[in-house]
C-alpha cells in the first residue's frame, strides 16, 4: 500500500533562471523516504491545487527509479515537466518503454545528463528539452566580461580556441552545475539556453567584489511607484524587503544620527511608520543615481528573498506577525556578506537587530536557527541534511513539504518572490 505523497517524500528545490536572470521555473527534487512507495497520483493532485497559473513552470526530478516509473505511468497530459536521467534510460529498457508511452500521452519530458552523453536523435526526439551538465573547463579563455560583450567575444574566436561545444539537441536546453559566471553568460546570452539551474554564486561574488554594493534600480523604481500610487503599508514593506541591500541601507538610514529618532528601529515596518512616505520617497530618489543595473546579480538577490520567504513560513505556527517579519529579516540578511563583501558579524552589528537574529545567523543558535537551517537545506538536492533537521526539530514530513510547495506555488514567473504583493 502506498503512503500519502507528502508524508513519504523528502522535497527540495532549485530555481531555474532565464536569459533576463529572472525566474524561468522551479526544479523540485523528489526523494522517496524509506518505507512504502509514495503515491505519485496524489502528489500530482496536490501540485495542481497549490500551483497558481502565474507561478513558474515546474520540473519534477525523481531521485529514484521507482518514483520516476510511477510518474511516467500515472502522470496525465498537462502535468509538470519530468526529468529522466540519461543513465537510467540507457540501463533500463523498462524505463525506455515507459518514456515512449508517456511521450505518446503528451507528457513533457526532460533528458538529464552530461553534454558528452547526449542521446541519439531518435531518443532525443522523445524529450521536450534537456538538462545538461557542463565541465568547468568549458569556460577556459572566456573572461568575466559584461553580458553585452560575450556574444561579440565568442564571434571573434576561432572554433578551435573554445572548448564550449555547440548544442546538438532541440532548442531550449537547460544547464546545471555551472561554477563559472562566464559559462553561465555563454549558455544564456550566446547559446540562448532555455534556463540555467542554480547560479554560480561564488564566481559572481568574485566578479563583482570591487564594485560598491547598491540597491537594484528595478526595486527602487517599483517602491517609488508604489508610494506614488498610495499603496498599502503591507505592499511597501514587501517591496522594500525584495532587495537585501535596499533593506540593509534602509535600516542604517532609519537608525542614523541624522534622523535623530529616539528609539532604535529594529524592523522594516517600524522604520516605514516612523520615517513617513515623503521622507522615504526623497531617500529613495537619492539612491537612484547610483543604483545597480547588473542583471547577473539578480539571481543571487532573488535567492536570498526565496530563503527569507521560506524561513518566514517555517517558524512555529501561531507566532505573531511581528516575529514572522523578524524571521524574514533574519534569513534575508543571512547572506549579506556575499553582497557587501564583509563579515556578517560586522554588518549585523551596525543595526539594532534582536539577539535572536544575531544568534541564528552568526552562532547558529536560538529560536530562529532551526528555521534558517531548514530553509538553507531545502535549497540543496541532498536529502540527508533535510531529514536530519526534520528529526532534530520534530517537523512533520507532510507539514514541511506543504510549506515548501505553498511558498513555491505563490511565486510569479520572471519575478522575485514578493512581487505578488504589489
Amino acid at each position: 500500500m502506498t503512503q500519502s505523497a507528502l508524508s513519504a517524500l523528502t522535497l527540495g528545490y532549485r530555481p531555474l533562471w532565464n536569459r533576463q536572470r529572472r525566474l524561468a521555473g522551479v526544479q523540485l527534487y523528489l526523494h522517496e523516504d524509506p518505507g512504502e512507495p509514495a503515491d505519485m497520483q496524489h502528489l500530482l493532485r496536490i501540485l495542481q491545487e497549490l500551483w497558481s497559473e502565474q507561478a513558474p513552470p515546474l520540473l519534477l526530478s525523481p531521485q529514484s527509479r521507482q518514483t520516476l516509473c510511477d510518474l511516467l505511468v500515472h502522470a496525465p497530459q498537462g502535468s509538470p515537466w519530468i526529468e529522466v536521467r540519461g543513465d537510467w534510460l540507457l540501463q533500463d529498457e523498462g524505463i525506455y518503454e515507459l518514456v515512449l508511452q508517456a511521450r505518446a500521452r503528451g507528457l513533457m519530458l526532460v533528458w538529464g545528463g552530461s553534454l558528452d552523453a547526449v542521446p541519439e536523435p531518435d531518443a532525443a526526439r522523445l524529450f521536450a528539452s534537456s538538462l545538461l551538465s557542463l565541465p568547468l573547463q568549458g569556460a577556459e579563455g572566456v573572461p568575466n566580461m559584461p553580458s553585452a560583450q560575450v556574444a561579440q567575444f565568442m564571434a571573434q574566436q576561432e572554433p578551435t580556441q573554445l572548448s564550449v561545444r555547440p548544442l546538438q539537441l532541440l532548442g531550449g536546453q537547460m544547464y546545471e552545475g555551472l561554477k563559472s559566471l562566464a559559462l553561465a553568460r555563454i549558455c544564456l546570452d550566446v547559446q540562448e539556453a532555455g534556463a540555467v539551474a542554480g547560479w554560480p554564486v561564488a564566481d559572481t561574488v568574485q566578479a563583482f567584489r570591487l564594485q560598491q554594493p547598491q540597491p537594484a534600480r528595478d526595486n527602487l523604481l517599483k517602491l517609488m511607484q508604489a508610494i506614488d500610487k498610495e499603496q498599502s503599508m503591507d505592499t511597501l514593506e514587501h517591496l522594500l524587503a525584495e532587495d537585501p541591500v535596499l533593506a540593509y541601507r534602509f535600516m542604517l538610514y532609519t537608525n542614523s544620527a541624522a534622523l535623530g529618532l529616539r528609539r532604535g528601529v529594529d524592523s522594516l515596518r517600524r522604520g516605514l511608520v516612523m520615517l513617513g512616505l515623503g521622507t522615504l520617497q526623497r531617500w529613495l530618489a537619492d539612491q537612484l543615481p547610483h543604483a545597480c543595473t547588473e542583471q547577473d546579480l539578480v539571481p543571487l538577490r532573488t535567492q536570498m528573498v526565496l530563503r527569507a520567504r521560506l524561513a518566514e513560513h517555517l517558524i512555529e505556527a501561531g507566532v505573531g506577525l511581528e516575529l514572522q517579519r523578524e524571521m524574514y529579516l533574519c534569513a534575508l540578511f543571512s547572506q549579506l556578506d556575499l553582497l557587501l563583501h564583509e563579515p556578517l558579524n560586522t554588518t549585523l552589528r551596525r543595526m539594532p537587530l534582536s539577539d535572536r537574529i544575531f544568534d541564528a545567523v552568526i552562532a547558529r543558535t536560538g529560536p530562529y536557527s532551526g528555521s534558517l537551517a531548514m530553509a538553507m537545506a531545502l535549497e540543496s538536492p541532498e536529502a540527508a541534511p533535510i531529514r536530519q533537521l526534520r528529526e532534530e526539530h520534530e517537523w512533520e514530513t507532510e507539514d514541511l513539504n506543504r510549506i515548501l510547495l505553498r511558498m513555491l506555488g505563490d511565486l510569479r514567473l520572471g519575478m522575485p518572490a514578493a512581487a505578488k504583493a504589489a
Side-chain angles (χ1 to χ4, degrees):
M1 181 177 178
T2 57
Q3 298 185 52
S4 169
L6 294 190
S7 63
L9 291 170
T10 295
L11 303 180
Y13 80 102
R14 180 166 62 171
L16 306 174
W17 307 105
N18 62 19
R19 192 174 183 182
Q20 289 73 41
R21 281 51 166 181
R22 303 284 175 170
L23 273 176
V26 175
Q27 183 180 10
L28 190 68
Y29 301 107
L30 310 178
H31 302 271
E32 261 192 356
D33 288 341
E36 297 294 330
D39 186 342
M40 288 298 105
Q41 290 176 291
H42 183 223
L43 175 65
L44 293 168
R45 288 195 299 270
I46 293 172
L47 292 174
Q48 187 175 21
E49 293 172 4
L50 295 180
W51 226 252
S52 69
E53 293 183 0
Q54 296 80 24
L58 188 60
L59 170 63
L60 302 180
S61 292
Q63 302 300 298
S64 73
R65 298 190 189 203
Q66 183 60 54
T67 304
L68 171 62
C69 291
D70 289 347
L71 281 172
L72 293 175
V73 168
H74 296 297
Q77 186 176 13
S79 296
W81 291 32
I82 300 172
E83 180 189 3
V84 179
R85 285 177 44 170
D87 54 344
W88 292 353
L89 192 67
L90 286 175
Q91 297 164 8
D92 193 326
E93 291 185 4
I95 290 180
Y96 188 86
E97 290 300 318
L98 291 178
V99 166
L100 287 173
Q101 297 168 20
R103 187 70 186 95
R105 297 201 312 274
L107 262 64
M108 303 295 283
L109 306 178
V110 174
W111 183 91
S114 171
L115 179 63
D116 296 327
V118 294
E120 296 298 324
D122 286 347
R125 281 191 283 271
L126 300 174
F127 298 94
S129 185
S130 55
L131 182 60
L132 303 172
S133 56
L134 302 179
L136 178 60
Q137 59 266 29
E140 286 181 354
V142 183
N144 270 331
M145 59 183 65
S147 297
Q149 300 177 18
V150 170
Q152 181 180 1
F153 174 86
M154 294 287 288
Q156 293 172 347
Q157 310 304 305
E158 295 294 331
T160 56
Q161 292 179 286
L162 294 170
S163 54
V164 180
R165 293 171 44 184
L167 301 180
Q168 302 296 323
L169 300 181
L170 302 171
Q173 284 79 9
M174 298 177 285
Y175 301 84
E176 67 173 347
L178 306 182
K179 304 298 183 184
S180 160
L181 179 58
L183 190 51
R185 287 167 171 170
I186 290 170
C187 290
L188 290 170
D189 302 326
V190 179
Q191 303 284 18
E192 298 184 354
V196 164
W199 193 254
V201 171
D203 202 43
T204 300
V205 171
Q206 178 69 11
F208 292 99
R209 70 190 185 283
L210 300 180
Q211 290 194 16
Q212 180 70 24
Q214 299 288 349
R217 180 179 177 84
D218 288 348
N219 292 337
L220 285 168
L221 290 174
K222 281 195 296 184
L223 186 50
M224 294 175 72
Q225 290 165 3
I227 295 173
D228 288 337
K229 295 177 181 178
E230 300 181 348
Q231 297 278 353
S232 69
M233 189 64 71
D234 284 342
T235 296
L236 298 183
E237 184 181 10
H238 275 297
L239 293 172
L240 179 59
E242 281 185 3
D243 189 316
V245 176
L246 182 61
Y248 167 70
R249 286 269 190 92
F250 178 79
M251 292 289 290
L252 292 184
Y253 178 64
T254 54
N255 286 286
S256 65
L259 287 182
L261 299 179
R262 294 182 180 180
R263 290 183 56 195
V265 175
D266 59 358
S267 72
L268 300 179
R269 171 58 69 100
R270 187 169 290 118
L272 287 170
V273 171
M274 298 183 71
L275 195 61
L277 298 185
T279 304
L280 174 62
Q281 186 79 298
R282 289 190 294 272
W283 178 76
L284 293 171
D286 290 339
Q287 310 296 307
L288 203 55
H290 307 289
C292 177
T293 58
E294 291 288 351
Q295 293 301 299
D296 288 327
L297 289 172
V298 171
L300 175 55
R301 295 173 189 263
T302 306
Q303 182 61 63
M304 294 167 71
V305 172
L306 298 184
R307 177 182 294 186
R309 290 287 166 215
L310 186 52
E312 179 184 33
H313 290 91
L314 283 170
I315 59 174
E316 188 175 346
V319 302
L321 186 58
E322 188 170 341
L323 291 181
Q324 283 186 309
R325 290 171 175 151
E326 193 172 270
M327 182 71 251
Y328 179 99
L329 209 60
C330 173
L332 186 72
F333 288 168
S334 67
Q335 292 178 293
L336 270 178
D337 54 322
L338 301 179
L339 295 174
L340 302 183
H341 315 298
E342 67 176 15
L344 274 173
N345 189 8
T346 302
T347 300
L348 298 183
R349 292 290 187 191
R350 296 196 182 102
M351 299 173 284
L353 301 173
S354 77
D355 290 339
R356 292 182 291 268
I357 293 179
F358 192 88
D359 290 345
V361 174
I362 303 301
R364 295 292 192 261
T365 60
Y368 294 161
S369 61
S371 296
L372 178 60
M374 180 59 83
M376 296 167 62
L378 289 169
E379 300 167 4
S380 166
E382 301 299 325
I386 300 172
R387 289 169 177 158
Q388 181 177 346
L389 286 166
R390 200 169 62 199
E391 182 176 347
E392 287 178 5
H393 297 276
E394 299 182 345
W395 268 301
E396 291 292 335
T397 303
E398 182 168 355
D399 293 342
L400 183 63
N401 287 335
R402 197 171 289 276
I403 288 171
L404 174 62
L405 293 179
R406 281 176 177 157
M407 188 280 286
L408 295 175
D410 282 341
L411 301 183
R412 295 297 179 263
L413 181 62
M415 301 175 72
K420 61 173 184 167

